[in-house]
């Protein structure tokens, strides 16, 4: 897996995990790399600095605050819900149908067990996990 720093046409910064650079290029060309903040599909790789340690960002104070991270995750959730089909606990089955061409290609989201996620990855089916935070503090 490779982590890229990305920027959309409106200069929003975000990160994306990809199996390799070829997977990123394919997904970007297919319009499947989307800014989680505004939904823009004009995405490019941003200059990246090497990650030295997990503690470096926290110690430098240059990482996002907890509030900023929650805001970004809430916006990502809104984008996923607005642009993808919810398939619930049938996620693994539906992802396979899409991958093997048994149904139309589209963005989906739902629930999958750790075992299902591993099996999908073993089959070469790209999926991602995002923290599903509440849309507002309760």
């Amino acid at each position: 897996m490779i982590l890229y720093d990305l920027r959309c046409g409106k200069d929003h910064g975000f990160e994306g995990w990809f199996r390799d650079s070829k997977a990123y290029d394919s997904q970007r060309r297919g319009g499947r790399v989307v800014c989680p903040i505004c939904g823009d599909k004009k995405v490019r790789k941003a200059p990246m600095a090497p990650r030295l340690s997990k503690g470096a960002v926290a110690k430098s104070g240059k990482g996002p605050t907890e509030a900023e991270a929650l805001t970004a995750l809430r916006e990502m959730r809104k984008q996923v819900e607005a642009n993808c089909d919810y398939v619930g606990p049938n996620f693994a089955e539906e992802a396979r149908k899409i991958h093997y061409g048994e149904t139309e290609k589209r963005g989906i989201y739902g629930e999958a067990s750790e075992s299902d996620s591993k099996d999908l990855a073993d089959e070469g089916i790209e999926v991602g996990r995002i923290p599903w935070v509440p849309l507002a503090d309760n």
Side-chain angles (χ1 to χ4, degrees), residues 49-80:
R51 295 184 185 255
L52 302 176
S53 74
K54 289 184 178 181
V57 170
K59 290 176 186 173
S60 71
K62 293 184 181 180
T65 65
E66 183 178 341
E68 290 169 333
L70 282 173
T71 298
L73 287 170
R74 285 183 178 124
E75 186 57 39
M76 184 185 312
R77 177 178 174 171
K78 288 179 191 175
Q79 290 296 322
V80 168

Side-chain angles (χ1 to χ4, degrees), residues 1 3 17 22 26 28 33 47 67 71-72 82 87 89 97 107 115 121 131-132 134 138:
M1 296 292 285
L3 174 67
W17 285 96
K22 184 178 171 185
S26 173
R28 186 187 53 78
V33 180
T71 298
V87 295
K97 287 180 182 177
S115 175
W132 207 245
N138 294 331

Side-chain angles (χ1 to χ4, degrees), residues 17 29 36 39 86 114 118 125:
W17 285 96
R29 279 192 307 274
Y86 177 68
E114 186 70 36
K118 182 184 179 318
I125 301 172

Side-chain angles (χ1 to χ4, degrees), residues 24-34 39-42:
Y24 164 78
D25 291 337
S26 173
Q27 289 181 35
R28 186 187 53 78
R29 279 192 307 274
R32 296 189 317 258
V33 180
V34 179
D40 190 358
K41 293 182 180 182
K42 294 180 183 176

